[in-house]
């Protein structure tokens, strides 16, 4: 027993001497014994214990079991000793094993990770059939050789020391911030002429090189670069592994690699940077870059998308050129096409302006509620096209619908038929179209019209009851005698209905009432209906629909006004049931009569009037004045032959419906110029 204690003390002294360099702050012993309770005299039933130690950084903790004598049981379920490394179970032991068995089968696996911990537990159950001595083990703290076992490898040299390791580099290298990689940081500034080679030359250039050379010459001079001798910069599969790049303030040359030397470079700069980057391996030989000086030259281009005049091979200090933007480009988006620029001593042109693509811009649309661009965000630069569309089916495009941006920054028609400054198209109401239900109604004594059948028919009730025809979305036309004396007043017109009492009718207030200047009123009684025509401008755009739409104006004709066709006249005037007025819109078919006069009258009949009437008493009556007479006859209109306004109900005999007498109508085609001019100027 005394020999065993002496041996243990001696071992501890030797270990302490071997590890005296470990940090003093490590609080546990660096070596020692651990054994079961009562060892070697034997452990009692229900014995248990726990032991744990941790290694300092850069060290591991090892455990060597030199004696094991426990109760043998299935899967060590009775008495057992368990060893853990960082809470991970390494071994569960029971029974008896010799020293040789322990040394070969168990002890090699009983160690912690670097800086990790070992723990041990022992538990005995309630009884043993014979007495067992237990176990005894010896633990030590050992240094780790990171140079062999660490994943953090040094790129050049590794030096191990107790508790850690360090990296070092070959001459010409230094450690990067990661303290493992050896790099070359070859930053250098040079002036004048010379030859530049990479670090390590002659011979293979250094790995992990991050070289940045700044080359500078006097103002008024520029650097000329050429590669001399061998050029060998690592590449793989056509891609640069290592690279050489040359940069000026305005240009970049490279990256260069491989074995074919780049062509000479006229840098057009007095200051350049040469950047050389390499990876961690390779035995390539590098390059030799000769840099020399020559007088500064200005480049053969001042700005993109332009041409110079005069054209010269070389431009030097003091040369002045005229810079002209190519077709479709202008100076800074303006209409200016040229500017002058002078070559400076620095090798730069001054002044320099950009030649930018001409942009015609989005044209201003005056009626955005009616017309819009076909595309929401179209391209508007040189040679780009735009087109327009109407937003409502009740309008059609008038004028050219497609335009091209020309070189002057103006929109022009694709056909180039008009001058570059072209008026934009307009959306004008579709005229002369209706719903087509048809019946043989009559005005005086006739039947009711259907809704949408005569959508241009308007009605005014005060102060004089009369009709009118819508001829655009802002204008109506009527007889002058219906609105005479009301020119300074606001009247109300109704449309989009067939019932004169319809509360849902479209209401239109007048903004202007313009009576033909040739219409004369002779007091006390009207004796002349010549020029019985007036235009009415509404205060707001009329909301067009299938129930309210304009009628087309007529075309001039050389023959009969109604072109020997039947026409249709309509209105809310007197009927056979009520000679004063009708609640519902009536219509009837009439034809033109060439006999003059249509009835015995003292009133003057002029060429601005024509006579029309129908068979069996079809006629207009009081309250129909100002209403429309259209051709073709109602029910025969189409896209090809829209309904046109040929006449305005003007005057007739005192008694309505006499088949022997006809009525007079204002001949609308005589007033087309006045109508269009009045609408355009008002």
């Amino acid at each position: 027993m005394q020999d065993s204690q002496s041996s243990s003390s001696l071992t501890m002294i030797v270990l302490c001497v071997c590890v005296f360099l470990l940090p003093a702050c490590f609080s546990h012993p660096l070596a020692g014994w651990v054994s079961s309770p009562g060892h070697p005299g034997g452990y009692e039933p229900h014995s248990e214990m726990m032991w744990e130690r941790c290694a300092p950084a850069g060290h591991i903790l090892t455990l060597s079991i030199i004696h094991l004598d426990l109760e043998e049981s299935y899967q060590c379920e009775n008495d057992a000793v368990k060893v853990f490394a960082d809470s991970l179970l390494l071994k569960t032991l029971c029974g008896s094993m010799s020293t040789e068995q322990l040394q070969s089968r168990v002890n090699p696996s009983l160690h912690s990770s670097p800086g990790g911990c070992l723990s041990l537990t022992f538990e005995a159950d309630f009884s043993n059939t014979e007495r067992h001595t237990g176990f005894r083990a010896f633990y030590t703290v050992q240094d780790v050789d990171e140079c062999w076992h660490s994943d953090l490898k040094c790129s050049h040299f590794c030096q191990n020391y107790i508790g850690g390791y360090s990296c070092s580099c070959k001459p010409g290298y230094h450690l990067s911030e990661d303290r493992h990689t050896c790099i070359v940081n070859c930053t250098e500034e040079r002036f004048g002429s010379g030859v530049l080679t990479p670090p390590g030359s002659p011979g293979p250039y250094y790995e992990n090189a991050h070289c940045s050379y700044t080359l500078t010459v006097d103002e008024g001079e520029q650097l000329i670069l050429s590669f001399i001798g061998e050029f060998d910069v690592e590449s793989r599969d056509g891609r640069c592994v290592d690279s050489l790049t040359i940069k000026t303030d305005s240009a970049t040359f490279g990256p260069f690699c491989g074995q074919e030397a780049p062509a000479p470079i006229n840098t057009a700069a007095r200051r350049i940077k040469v950047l050389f980057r390499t990876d961690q391996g390779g035995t390539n030989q590098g390059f030799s870059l000769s840099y020399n000086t020559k007088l500064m030259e200005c480049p053969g281009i001042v700005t993109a998308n332009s041409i110079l005049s005069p054209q010269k091979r070389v431009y030097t200090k003091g040369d002045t050129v005229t810079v002209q933007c190519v077709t479709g480009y202008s100076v800074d988006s303006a209409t200016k096409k040229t500017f002058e620029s002078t070559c400076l001593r620095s090798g730069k042109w001054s002044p320099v302006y950009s030649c930018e693509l001409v942009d015609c811009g989005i044209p201003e649309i005056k009626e955005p509620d009616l017309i819009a661009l076909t595309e929401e965000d179209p391209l508007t630069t040189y040679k780009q096209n735009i087109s327009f569309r109407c937003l409502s089916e009740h309008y059609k495009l008038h004028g050219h619908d497609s335009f091209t941006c020309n070189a002057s920054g103006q929109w022009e028609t694709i056909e180039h038929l008009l001058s570059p400054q072209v008026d934009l198209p307009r959306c004008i109401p579709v005229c002369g179209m209706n719903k087509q239900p048809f019946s043989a109604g009559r005005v005086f004594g006739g039947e009711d019209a259907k809704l949408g059948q005569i959508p241009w028919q308007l009605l005014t009730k005060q102060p004089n009851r009369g009709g009118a025809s819508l001829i655009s979305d802002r204008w109506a036309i009527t007889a002058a005698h219906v609105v005479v004396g009301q020119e300074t007043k606001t009247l109300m017109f109704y449309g989009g209905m067939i019932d004169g009492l319809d509360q849902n009718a479209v209401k239109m207030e007048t903004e202007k009432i313009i009576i033909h200047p040739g219409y004369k009123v002779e007091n006390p009684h009207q004796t002349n209906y010549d020029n019985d025509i007036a235009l009415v401008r509404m205060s707001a755009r009329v909301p067009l629909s299938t129930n309210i739409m304009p009628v087309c104006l007529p075309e001039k004709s050389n023959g009969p006004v109604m072109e020997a066709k039947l026409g249709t006249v309509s209105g809310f005037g007197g009927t056979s049931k009520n000679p004063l007025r009708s609640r519902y819109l009536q219509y009837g078919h009439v034809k033109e009569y060439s006999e003059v006069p249509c009835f015995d009258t003292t009133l003057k009949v002029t060429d601005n009037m024509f006579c029309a009437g129908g068979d069996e008493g079809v006629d207009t009556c009081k309250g129909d004045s100002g209403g429309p007479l259209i051709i073709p006859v109602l029910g025969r209109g189409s896209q090809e032959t829209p309904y046109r306004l040929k006449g305005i109900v003007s005057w007739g005999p005192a008694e309505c419906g006499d088949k022997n007498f006809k009525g007079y109508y204002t001949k609308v085609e005589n007033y087309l110029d006045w109508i269009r001019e009045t609408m355009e100027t008002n």
Side-chain angles (χ1 to χ4, degrees), residues 19 120 132 147 191 203 413-414 471 484 515 586 645 659 662:
V19 298
L120 179 149
H132 295 280
C147 292
F191 186 86
T413 60
I414 294 178
I471 58 173
V484 67
I515 295 175
Q586 302 284 302
L645 181 68
K659 63 181 180 179
K662 311 303 175 185

Side-chain angles (χ1 to χ4, degrees), residues 300 306-315 321:
S306 68
I307 56 176
L308 305 187
S309 178
Q311 289 281 340
K312 296 175 63 176
R313 188 180 63 83
V314 175
Y315 296 96
V321 295

Side-chain angles (χ1 to χ4, degrees), residues 72-93:
E72 183 74 44
S73 62
Y74 176 72
Q75 294 185 345
C76 299
E77 59 186 7
N78 295 336
D79 300 347
V81 58
K82 297 180 180 181
V83 182
F84 300 86
D86 300 319
S87 301
L88 178 67
L89 179 64
L90 298 180
K91 288 290 184 179
T92 300
L93 302 172

